Amino acid sequence: MVNECPDARPRRRLRPTRRGKIVLIVAALLVVSAAVLIPLSLLGPEKKEKRQERPQSTLVIPEGWRASQVYTAVDRELGLKSGSTQKTVPTVDLGLPDQAEGNPEGYLFPATYPVDSTTTPASLLRYMADTARKRFGADHITAGAQRNNVTVYETATIASIVQAEADTASDMGKVARVVYNRLLKDMPLQMDSTINYALKRSTLDTTTADTQLDSPYNSYVRKGLPPTPIGNPGEEAMRAAVTPTPGPWLYFVTVAPGDTRFTDSYDEQQRNVEEFNRNRRAATG
């Protein structure tokens, strides 16, 4: 949700983000996540001749997961000590854009990855990044980024915000349009999801104190995009980021599940927020 007005913040703002509900949807993602084939790079040299064998297990990376969540999942799947995969990152050439400065956030592509006894953190990270780079380097992505006057890396950053903020897939294009409209008007994005990323949390609540956080990811006080993506977006979010839905919207709020209101009117946004708060009180009371 974007704040109702750059100059008037409510005492307490509430909005569930898509990431905040990942625990509820991960079971569905186990079914719908796109499967990927295991490449030779996931196998040790002595096992290449067995590459057609059925993998022992699979690792599901849901859309919107942060890099930290991916690292934890890889450690758990491979039976490694906590922190092992994260320590591997600086030692692996992932072919990331220069803008990333070695940070793979946004480029660990969400999918279902086969895993066997020869799989390593380095091989998994390489394949995730290779997949992201190929998908993000597609002609329609590069053309869309040029049309929107942003880089592909910035497009991935916008897509990560869309992934976190959109309540439904059908809302993604409108959320992307809000981002672009605010950038064009030199308005701070004021997205709760960027603050959640800075604070390493997923929450329904953002307080006024949170919006004063000294962080480059605080989109309430800092204009422009955050310095990196805030998660790993999927195909739909990237599609929304390159082809945002046409519209004048500057604000949005999900007043109830499946009912997100978009507007360019501050007064209308205030009314929508009041309705959201009433629904929240009724649900928790």
Side-chain angles (χ1 to χ4, degrees), residues 97-114:
D98 291 342
Q99 284 178 278
E101 296 183 353
N103 183 350
E105 191 72 84
Y107 277 71
L108 301 176
F109 195 79
T112 299
Y113 294 90

Side-chain angles (χ1 to χ4, degrees), residues 15 20 25 34 42 74 94 98 169 182 186 188 191 234 237 252 273 277:
R15 185 190 186 272
I25 66 171
L42 286 182
V74 173
L94 298 178
D98 291 342
R182 283 187 162 244
D186 198 31
M191 299 285 179
F252 66 90
V273 170
N277 287 331

Side-chain angles (χ1 to χ4, degrees), residues 7 16 37-38 45 47 50 55 62 83-84 86 92 108 110 117 123 138 140 179 187 203 205 223 240 245 258 276 282:
D7 298 318
L37 296 177
I38 189 167
K47 295 291 183 178
K50 298 183 180 180
S84 297
Q86 185 169 2
V92 185
L108 301 176
S117 60
S123 63
H140 72 285
V179 172
M187 298 171 66
T203 182
D205 304 330
K223 295 179 180 179
T245 306
F276 166 73

Side-chain angles (χ1 to χ4, degrees), residues 13-279:
R13 301 183 58 260
L14 310 171
R15 185 190 186 272
T17 66
R18 201 159 186 247
R19 181 179 295 109
K21 293 181 264 184
I22 192 64
V23 173
L24 299 179
I25 66 171
V26 69
L29 286 166
L30 290 172
V31 177
V32 301
S33 294
V36 293
L37 296 177
I38 189 167
L40 294 184
S41 61
L42 286 182
L43 302 173
E46 71 282 3
K47 295 291 183 178
K48 286 181 180 179
E49 70 278 5
K50 298 183 180 180
R51 59 184 177 273
Q52 299 300 326
E53 292 183 359
R54 184 180 179 84
Q56 295 176 351
S57 61
T58 57
L59 173 63
V60 176
I61 304 300
E63 296 172 346
W65 264 17
R66 300 168 185 166
S68 59
Q69 292 172 292
V70 176
Y71 303 151
T72 298
V74 173
D75 286 343
R76 183 171 57 248
E77 181 66 31
L78 299 185
L80 301 174
K81 181 180 177 181
S82 178
S84 297
T85 299
Q86 185 169 2
K87 290 179 181 177
T88 300
V89 173
T91 70
V92 185
D93 182 5
L94 298 178
L96 301 171
D98 291 342
Q99 284 178 278
E101 296 183 353
N103 183 350
E105 191 72 84
Y107 277 71
L108 301 176
F109 195 79
T112 299
Y113 294 90
V115 174
D116 73 6
S117 60
T118 65
T119 304
T120 66
S123 63
L124 274 174
L125 293 173
R126 272 197 301 268
Y127 195 58
M128 292 176 191
D130 286 347
T131 304
R133 192 168 58 251
K134 290 173 183 175
R135 300 291 181 89
F136 297 169
D139 290 344
H140 72 285
I141 298 293
T142 55
Q146 292 174 355
R147 184 172 60 250
N148 295 322
N149 198 31
V150 292
T151 66
V152 170
Y153 186 73
E154 289 168 335
T155 301
T157 299
I158 293 169
S160 72
I161 294 172
V162 169
Q163 189 80 63
E165 292 283 347
D167 186 56
T168 65
S170 61
D171 289 336
M172 286 184 171
K174 291 183 177 181
V175 173
R177 177 55 66 189
V178 170
V179 172
Y180 283 113
N181 285 348
R182 283 187 162 244
L183 291 174
L184 287 172
K185 289 181 176 293
D186 198 31
M187 298 171 66
L189 297 183
Q190 297 182 315
M191 299 285 179
D192 293 352
S193 56
T194 64
I195 290 180
N196 280 340
Y197 184 79
L199 294 173
K200 298 180 174 61
R201 70 182 189 189
S202 294
T203 182
L204 304 182
D205 304 330
T206 298
T207 66
T208 300
D210 292 337
T211 66
Q212 302 304 311
L213 180 70
D214 183 15
S215 168
Y217 292 92
N218 183 354
S219 62
Y220 277 77
V221 297
R222 293 175 183 263
K223 295 179 180 179
L225 295 172
T228 71
I230 60 170
N232 293 282
E235 298 250 11
E236 287 181 311
M238 282 296 289
R239 190 179 304 115
V242 297
T243 55
T245 306
W249 312 294
L250 295 172
Y251 312 95
F252 66 90
V253 58
T254 299
V255 299
D259 183 8
T260 300
R261 311 277 177 83
F262 293 84
T263 181
D264 61 345
S265 165
Y266 169 70
D267 290 339
E268 184 178 353
Q269 174 72 355
Q270 287 288 83
R271 291 192 294 272
N272 291 337
V273 170
E274 289 172 3
E275 182 175 346
F276 166 73
N277 287 331
R278 287 195 302 272
N279 290 342

